[in-house]
Amino acid sequence: MPAFDLPLSELEQYRPELEEPVDFDAFWHDTIEEAARHEPLVSVRPVESGLRLTRTWDVTFRGFAGDPVRAWFSRPAGADGPLPAVVEYAGYGRGRGLPHERLTWVNAGYAHLLMDNRGQGDQYGNGGATPDPHATAPGGPGPAVRGLLAPHDYHYRRLITDAVRAVAAVRALPGVDGTRTAAVGNSQGGALALAVAGLVPDLAAVLVTAPLLCGIRRALDLTDAGPYGEIAAYLSVHRGAERSAYRTLCYVEGVSFARRAQAPAHFGTGLRDTVCPPSGTYAAFNHYGTATGATAPKEIHAYPYNGHEGGEAEQVRRQLGWLPKVLGS
């Protein structure tokens, strides 16, 4: 796929105006506050993964509305003292899978929590274990359109709340230095990490690659791939529902979360990405911290000949070099 979005010189200056609901902050304050009434941890059970250098626990924590959410928590075997923590969020349609699948961050010496995606896990990977008991509002079968016509019913209201509560959960686990907690994710996982950066003011760092839900209106005009295509397909059947759908999407716009973030940030994008167009990533990067006056360091890496896979291992190498400098680990 050839480059189809703005040229890099324009992306580097791209800072579009936003359509933010006047009650955006109140909406998320009330949603998170309601979830925070529940103690985060439900259960923490050790599991035998077959890995000698990693210890893993099956964690259940309270997410949106106090619903139980599953996660894998891992630490380097034999590690002493509190460790900085990485909370990782999985991509669209994926669940937490099996405990030995995601080893990069624990092998780098971090405590690692991998959150399950409620109501997802059936599209690829090795499945999930967290149902979504609230997925009854009008909408299509895919997560991107569940409850799309009303902000309080939308799937991503619940999933973003789970992501915020995952930070509270990892901070409640033994052997974790909660003051050094980073949020990490690619694609949908990047959208969740960016939302967490905007909703958790004392987050220590955020690392996002090709984040979904950034520049949503422009993405719907540019691509029919992936989750945006599901939204377009839904609106092609439910003609006249655009206004309600666009209003809902404004409450989960990643650029709005980016504006409110304060933590040091590391971004990445492929300039040929037709799933999450690079203009959305650059909009989030260029707006990052503007509502808070944040002066924390931020950087972005663009891969001109890569699509949604971004920089793959090269991007991870850069993340592994950047995060210790930020966390002091």
Side-chain angles (χ1 to χ4, degrees):
M1 175 70 191
F4 75 106
D5 207 334
L6 299 171
L8 181 58
S9 59
E10 294 183 27
L11 289 171
E12 290 174 339
Q13 305 300 321
Y14 182 61
R15 188 181 289 185
E17 294 185 7
L18 298 180
E19 299 179 45
E20 283 191 0
V22 294
D23 65 338
F24 181 92
D25 291 310
F27 175 88
W28 282 108
H29 174 271
D30 293 348
T31 298
I32 301 303
E33 185 178 65
E34 194 283 329
R37 294 172 186 167
H38 305 272
E39 289 296 320
L41 293 179
V42 176
S43 65
V44 182
R45 298 185 298 104
V47 297
E48 179 52 61
S49 67
L51 301 174
R52 296 183 179 181
L53 303 181
T54 300
R55 297 181 62 196
T56 301
W57 290 261
D58 186 347
V59 170
T60 302
F61 68 91
R62 297 280 182 196
F64 174 84
D67 298 336
V69 179
R70 304 288 289 277
W72 296 123
F73 176 64
S74 299
R75 287 173 51 92
D80 295 323
L83 297 176
V86 169
V87 181
E88 185 175 4
Y89 305 104
Y92 188 75
R94 189 183 187 109
R96 66 174 182 167
L98 300 173
H100 60 267
E101 287 188 75
R102 307 271 184 125
L103 298 176
T104 296
W105 294 107
V106 69
N107 280 343
Y110 299 94
H112 177 239
L113 186 82
L114 175 63
M115 187 187 87
D116 204 12
N117 287 324
R118 67 164 62 218
Q120 299 188 30
D122 298 322
Q123 294 188 22
Y124 71 104
N126 288 291
T130 303
D132 185 0
H134 308 277
T136 57
V145 289
R146 292 177 192 160
L148 179 62
L149 302 185
H152 282 84
D153 295 335
Y154 195 33
H155 175 79
Y156 280 108
R157 176 183 179 230
R158 301 187 291 277
L159 195 60
I160 288 170
T161 304
D162 292 347
V164 169
R165 296 303 294 157
V167 173
V170 81
R171 287 173 166 173
L173 289 166
V176 170
D177 179 355
T179 65
R180 295 188 291 165
T181 304
V184 176
N186 303 331
S187 193
Q188 176 185 266
L192 297 178
L194 198 56
V196 167
L199 293 169
V200 179
D202 61 346
L203 192 72
V206 60
L207 303 94
V208 301
T209 306
L212 187 67
L213 300 179
C214 290
I216 299 173
R217 288 288 297 272
R218 177 175 170 81
L220 285 169
D221 290 338
L222 285 178
T223 182
D224 281 331
Y228 295 119
E230 293 180 24
I231 295 171
Y234 179 83
L235 295 176
S236 75
V237 174
H238 299 274
R239 302 168 186 87
E242 293 92 338
R243 175 174 294 210
S244 295
Y246 291 158
R247 177 174 179 269
T248 295
L249 292 167
C250 284
Y251 286 90
V252 299
E253 171 59 62
V255 181
S256 293
F257 290 121
R259 290 185 63 244
R260 291 159 170 79
Q262 302 180 57
H266 190 283
F267 283 74
T269 184
L271 299 187
R272 298 175 181 236
D273 189 345
T274 59
V275 178
C276 297
S279 54
T281 304
Y282 270 93
F285 179 78
N286 292 331
H287 272 289
Y288 192 88
T290 55
T292 60
T295 58
K298 64 176 184 177
E299 62 184 62
I300 187 167
H301 300 276
Y303 301 91
Y305 294 95
N306 286 105
H308 194 51
E309 77 282 6
E312 295 184 301
E314 173 63 18
Q315 176 70 357
V316 174
R317 183 186 68 82
R318 285 173 161 159
Q319 291 176 332
L320 288 169
W322 180 83
L323 189 56
K325 299 173 186 176
V326 171
L327 296 185
S329 57

